[in-house]
Amino acid sequence: GIQVMHSCDKILRSLQDCTKKTGQGSELFCQHLHQQAGWCLFKALCPAEVEGLEDCLGITNIRTHSSHIPANKCRLQQELLSACIEGQQAASEARTAACPSKNRQAPKQGADSSQ
């Protein structure tokens, strides 16, 4: 959690700044930062799988290249990365569901519950 955010902090701040500066055009103008931020998060969560995919593709830094991966090339590495990301998502959802504060409801202000 925290270490992931720390390792991607610079790119996430750059993306946030770009989004603020460009407003509604941010999707187009900040596309490269979106890709870099996404890849950084993948790499922080699933470093071995990302490294395996990068090695298979023969590049050291996939985020500087097209996000398109040729069909059938490195399919196993793609599937391993996808499974890792899905596992991380499931673990995160389980932690959220187990969080004690999730089941607490904020008291209703100004409502009279005795009626």
Side-chain angles (χ1 to χ4, degrees), residues 8-9 15 17 26 35 40 65 72 76 88 90 93 97 102 110:
C8 300
D9 189 50
L15 176 57
D17 291 346
S26 68
Q35 290 174 344
C40 182
H65 296 75
N72 297 323
L76 174 61
Q88 292 285 348
E93 289 171 355
K102 183 178 188 279

Side-chain angles (χ1 to χ4, degrees), residues 4-52:
V4 169
M5 295 305 290
H6 179 68
S7 65
C8 300
D9 189 50
K10 184 177 178 184
I11 188 67
L12 292 173
R13 270 192 273 119
S14 295
L15 176 57
Q16 186 178 30
D17 291 346
C18 182
T19 302
K20 283 181 184 177
K21 288 177 186 174
T22 57
Q24 288 192 357
S26 68
E27 188 173 317
L28 175 65
F29 290 112
C30 307
Q31 180 179 10
H32 65 293
L33 293 172
H34 279 279
Q35 290 174 344
Q36 290 177 359
W39 197 250
C40 182
L41 293 172
F42 288 162
K43 197 166 192 167
L45 291 170
C46 302
E49 292 79 3
V50 168
E51 185 177 330

